[in-house]
Amino acid sequence: MLLVGLMSGLCLRGFWFNHEHCCWLSNETTFQERDRCPQWQSWAELITGKSEGPFAYIMNYLMYIFWALMFSFLAVILVRAFAPYACGSGIPEIKTILSGFIIRGYLGKWTLIIKTITLVLAVSSGLSLGKEGPLVHVACCCANILCHLFTKYRKNEAKRREVLSAAAAVGVSVAFGAPIGGVLFSLEEVSYYFPLKTLWRSFFAALVAAFTLRSINPFGNSRLVLFYVEFHTPWHLVELAPFILLGIFGGLWGALFIKANIAWCRLRKTTCLGHYPVTEVLVVAALTALLAYPNSYTRMSGSELISELFNDCSLLDSSQLCGYKQVNTGVDNSLADRPAGPGLYTALWQLALALVFKMMITVITFGMKVPSGLFIPSMAVGAIAGRLLGVGMEQLAYYNHDSVIFKGWCSQGADCITPGLYAMVGAAACLGGVTRMTVSLVVIMFELTGGLEYIVPLMAATMTSKWVADAFGREGIYEAHIRLNGYPFLEPKEEFEHSSLAVDVMRPRRMDPALAVLTQEGMTVGEVESLVESTHFSGFPVVVSSESQRLVGFVLRRDLLISIDNARKRQDGIVSASQVVFTEHTPLLPPDAPPLLRLRCIMDLSPFTVTDHTPMDITVDIFRKLGLRQCLVTHNGRLLGIITKKDILKHMAQMANRDPDSILFN
């Protein structure tokens, strides 16, 4: 809030106050000029002593651009120098990690520190991005670091994933003040496997996070929710039609945004644009500041804009969006439907321009080398569209209250239409179109606003947006980025509909070299090291002998290298000619033979196996639900081959007539 305030001026009472908090403390603020108080001075007032006139406007304009460039430059430089993994949203990678793939360093302490700092800088720079997705990444970093303090979680990958699932719920709970929505978000969108015990643990973690957030009171309004709304008019059944229309808009926008953003990110990866991340961030920041400042609705932060659009006009409201002609007033401090005045028409033009600007600039902003979330920009697009439609419906009801549509429930002088409700429904529709969330999104929205009464319009718009967006492609923005980056991720929502068997997918194929294996006895340390150095596999099956190929177990490459290295340093007589054994008994050796190296302790004696005739739909389910990275294929106990997650993804790509080589971790 301090850095956002610096973009426009400085509080003389205390530099850490932003504009709103600074004027809250002033006794000289009026309702007509709620944004003006002597304690807050713009940069033009501080530098030139003048607050009005073209020179003051230009000075404020230049300072706005200067701070935008300064904050974005610091953010991208810190990310590039100290933690390259701190960029982006983080949710696609979290989904991939929870599916069983390890991205080393992605949840480390440096990523946590740099992402926390640069997220503040990136959001404060005025770029069209949000903080919600990155906060999920930050929460997962904290959880991963805490896991290393306890042996139970440090050595058990499955239990660590359960903690990360709970951390994702905590991230949304903190970002939105929506603990239940956070749990459902982790269940629906992030987690790969979500057993019942993880559900209630996630609920408890989200509860503690929400309680802590409420104790800190970061918004200064003694509320947990970010955008509290208090609409005075219930919605009518007739309004379902415009709500569904907003759902259609949200679905179309979501599909268009995903295609445009993926095309831009692919261009960034495949051209020289990707070699200059600092320049790209600075150019986009300069362009955003240059175009955003003249329009008051694009100049304000995303959260402030959404709060303004959700607002229901009251008698004492001086917002331009409440610039109606004074004809009739209702009761209970709410205003009846009235004709639009010049102030409202000006605001609508500005909102229409802001809608076009937000739709275009968000496409090129999401995916840059700074922390960037997508929740707030998507909600802002939908809220603008919803407010425009809401005002249109309000004016239609005012001038046509005797028509068939409005007759019987909207009489003259009544408060029938609430434009703020349309903004709220539009925000949910656009966010649903981009992410394809349904249940968790509706819960997040009513927790976010406190508008439990409007759950049916939210459900209608969200489902419509999902159906419309799915007609153009079933991938949400996070799944699209997973595929763009080539992460080995099996989408749990898709069904495997082909009749192939495990033997059709496993390696080695015909004409391929034989599978690299270790024998339980008979190999020397030198032979094992030579095998490891000549391959890039993450592990090796252990068999009885090269002739029988009876499966005994599985050894990870990393464990093998560490054990041999430690044995050479600490165990006397271990040389390249020493035999490596994975058996319990000690084989007979010649008297002059070097000592044995026993490695049975590092071998997995019960690796996951399937038979060669196991249907692939069952194999895919095993990989999804257990988060496997590889599975061995046997026939009557004899090792035939291995199936990795990448093999399955390549096979699925082939079945869908896509390039199988596109499934590569990049």
Side-chain angles (χ1 to χ4, degrees):
M1 297 176 79
L2 160 65
L3 298 184
V4 172
L6 278 178
M7 299 276 285
S8 56
L10 200 64
C11 183
L12 301 181
R13 188 186 297 271
F15 71 90
W16 54 89
F17 290 119
N18 69 350
H19 193 170
E20 186 179 10
H21 287 169
C22 187
C23 290
W24 272 357
L25 304 172
S26 175
N27 296 322
E28 302 167 52
T29 309
T30 63
F31 281 110
Q32 286 72 28
E33 296 183 331
R34 58 181 179 175
D35 292 333
R36 291 178 178 270
C37 62
Q39 288 81 12
W40 178 266
Q41 291 199 353
S42 66
W43 289 110
E45 289 178 277
L46 290 168
I47 296 171
T48 66
K50 296 180 180 179
S51 60
E52 305 291 340
F55 184 72
Y57 181 84
I58 292 171
M59 178 58 66
N60 286 329
Y61 201 161
L62 292 175
M63 289 301 295
Y64 183 87
I65 295 173
F66 167 76
W67 285 114
L69 290 173
M70 176 65 73
F71 294 151
S72 57
F73 176 74
L74 288 174
V76 69
I77 282 294
L78 287 172
V79 167
R80 190 179 184 190
F82 297 103
Y85 281 149
C87 66
S89 165
I91 292 179
E93 288 77 11
I94 298 298
K95 286 169 70 80
T96 307
I97 290 169
L98 287 174
S99 76
F101 186 67
I102 295 175
I103 307 176
R104 300 198 183 279
Y106 197 81
L107 301 177
K109 58 181 182 299
W110 273 110
T111 304
L112 170 63
I113 295 168
I114 297 301
K115 188 141 194 171
T116 304
I117 297 169
T118 54
L119 177 59
V120 175
L121 292 167
V123 171
S124 303
S125 68
L127 289 167
S128 183
L129 46 83
K131 63 181 185 302
E132 288 68 28
L135 279 177
V136 173
H137 185 189
V138 167
C140 288
C141 287
C142 294
N144 185 61
I145 292 168
L146 287 173
C147 282
H148 283 285
L149 302 178
F150 303 95
T151 308
K152 177 182 177 181
Y153 297 102
R154 185 172 65 248
K155 293 187 176 181
N156 192 319
E157 193 67 33
K159 290 190 177 297
R160 189 186 303 181
R161 285 182 215 158
E162 290 181 16
V163 175
L164 293 180
S165 294
V170 168
V172 174
S173 176
V174 170
F176 286 118
I180 301 174
V183 175
L184 292 175
F185 172 80
S186 180
L187 169 62
E188 181 183 3
E189 188 64 22
V190 178
S191 296
Y192 215 64
Y193 177 58
F194 206 82
L196 189 60
K197 61 179 181 179
T198 305
L199 177 69
W200 72 260
R201 287 171 180 173
S202 301
F203 179 77
F204 179 74
L207 167 68
V208 173
F211 176 77
T212 307
L213 186 71
R214 176 63 181 82
S215 304
I216 298 171
N217 191 22
F219 308 120
N221 57 5
S222 298
R223 296 187 191 278
L224 186 63
V225 298
L226 188 58
F227 311 113
Y228 181 74
V229 296
E230 195 173 1
F231 301 138
H232 303 282
T233 309
W235 64 280
H236 195 270
L237 193 63
V238 174
E239 292 182 278
L240 269 181
F243 293 151
I244 290 173
L245 193 64
L246 284 173
I248 294 172
F249 171 79
L252 291 173
W253 148 248
L256 175 66
F257 173 81
I258 291 170
K259 290 184 183 299
N261 180 253
I262 292 299
W264 180 260
C265 290
R266 186 173 286 113
L267 182 72
R268 182 188 290 125
K269 277 179 171 290
T270 56
T271 63
C272 60
L273 181 64
H275 300 304
Y276 304 100
V278 178
T279 306
E280 182 193 7
V281 170
L282 290 177
V283 168
V284 173
L287 184 66
T288 304
L290 198 65
L291 298 176
Y293 187 83
N295 189 336
S296 59
Y297 293 110
T298 51
R299 188 190 317 160
M300 64 178 65
S301 68
S303 299
E304 288 176 331
L305 173 61
I306 294 170
S307 183
E308 182 88 357
L309 294 168
F310 283 6
N311 183 42
D312 188 22
C313 291
S314 62
L315 288 169
L316 299 174
D317 209 318
S318 60
S319 170
Q320 263 195 316
L321 287 171
C322 300
Y324 296 92
K325 291 178 182 176
Q326 295 294 334
V327 177
N328 253 334
T329 59
V331 293
D332 295 331
N333 202 33
S334 65
L335 297 172
D337 292 346
R338 296 162 300 156
L344 181 57
Y345 281 121
T346 303
L348 293 180
W349 274 110
Q350 289 180 325
L351 280 179
L353 292 173
L355 178 62
V356 176
F357 171 74
K358 285 281 186 184
M359 290 173 71
M360 295 177 68
I361 205 69
T362 306
V363 168
I364 62 175
T365 303
F366 185 70
M368 293 196 307
K369 297 301 180 184
V370 291
S372 53
L374 195 58
F375 281 34
I376 290 296
S378 300
M379 288 174 65
V381 168
I384 294 172
R387 188 78 187 204
L388 291 171
L389 181 62
V391 172
M393 285 292 296
E394 185 184 43
Q395 296 306 299
L396 190 67
Y398 177 80
Y399 287 109
N400 301 276
H401 58 269
D402 291 329
S403 67
V404 177
I405 300 174
F406 301 105
K407 195 172 183 179
W409 67 278
C410 187
S411 58
Q412 188 173 11
D415 186 9
C416 306
I417 306 293
T418 307
L421 171 60
Y422 285 74
M424 187 170 80
V425 172
C430 279
L431 185 54
V434 171
T435 62
R436 311 297 163 85
M437 294 191 301
T438 50
V439 180
S440 57
L441 174 59
V442 172
V443 175
I444 286 172
M445 286 303 298
F446 79 68
E447 280 191 285
L448 192 62
T449 58
L452 184 59
E453 184 182 348
Y454 306 102
I455 192 167
V456 174
L458 289 171
M459 290 173 70
T462 303
M463 281 309 304
T464 305
S465 71
K466 177 173 171 55
W467 286 334
V468 171
D470 281 349
F472 295 91
R474 300 188 67 83
E475 285 183 334
I477 186 65
Y478 301 128
E479 290 78 18
H481 272 270
I482 285 172
R483 190 156 62 86
L484 176 70
N485 292 323
Y487 296 139
F489 179 79
L490 285 170
E491 177 54 57
K493 299 170 189 173
E494 294 180 1
E495 291 186 9
F496 188 86
E497 298 175 345
H498 306 289
S499 58
S500 48
L501 302 175
V503 71
D504 302 323
V505 182
M506 73 174 192
R507 287 180 299 152
R509 309 278 175 84
R510 290 176 183 173
M511 309 302 292
D512 283 352
L515 188 67
V517 296
L518 300 172
T519 56
Q520 66 176 355
E521 57 184 51
M523 293 185 73
T524 64
V525 171
E527 289 171 341
V528 172
E529 288 178 327
S530 176
L531 178 66
V532 171
E533 289 171 5
S534 63
T535 60
H536 57 275
F537 306 129
S538 61
F540 302 92
V542 180
V543 295
V544 173
S545 67
S546 301
E547 293 77 25
S548 73
Q549 291 288 311
R550 293 281 176 180
L551 182 64
V552 177
F554 191 83
V555 177
L556 291 176
R557 176 196 192 95
R558 182 168 173 269
D559 293 342
L560 199 58
L561 289 173
I562 291 173
S563 298
I564 291 175
D565 187 54
N566 288 340
R568 283 185 180 276
K569 291 177 180 176
R570 300 173 186 173
Q571 193 173 335
D572 292 335
I574 296 296
V575 293
S576 296
S578 298
Q579 273 202 40
V580 177
V581 294
F582 295 94
T583 56
E584 287 182 320
H585 66 274
T586 304
L588 295 174
L589 296 176
D592 57 341
L596 292 169
L597 175 57
R598 297 179 177 277
L599 294 181
R600 188 178 177 84
C601 59
I602 66 168
M603 182 174 63
D604 181 3
L605 293 170
S606 56
F608 284 97
T609 60
V610 295
T611 67
D612 51 342
H613 285 91
T614 304
M616 273 308 296
D617 56 341
I618 295 177
T619 307
V620 170
D621 268 349
I622 292 172
F623 270 81
R624 283 174 176 161
K625 292 177 179 176
L626 298 179
L628 299 183
R629 289 192 284 274
Q630 69 272 323
C631 180
L632 301 174
V633 182
T634 62
H635 178 76
N636 293 334
R638 185 172 179 271
L639 180 66
L640 295 183
I642 187 170
I643 297 176
T644 65
K645 189 176 288 186
K646 290 181 183 179
D647 294 328
I648 293 177
L649 289 166
K650 287 182 178 181
H651 180 70
M652 293 172 74
Q654 280 180 325
M655 292 296 181
N657 295 319
R658 296 201 312 265
D659 178 18
D661 291 329
S662 64
I663 312 298
L664 295 171
F665 175 52
N666 183 7

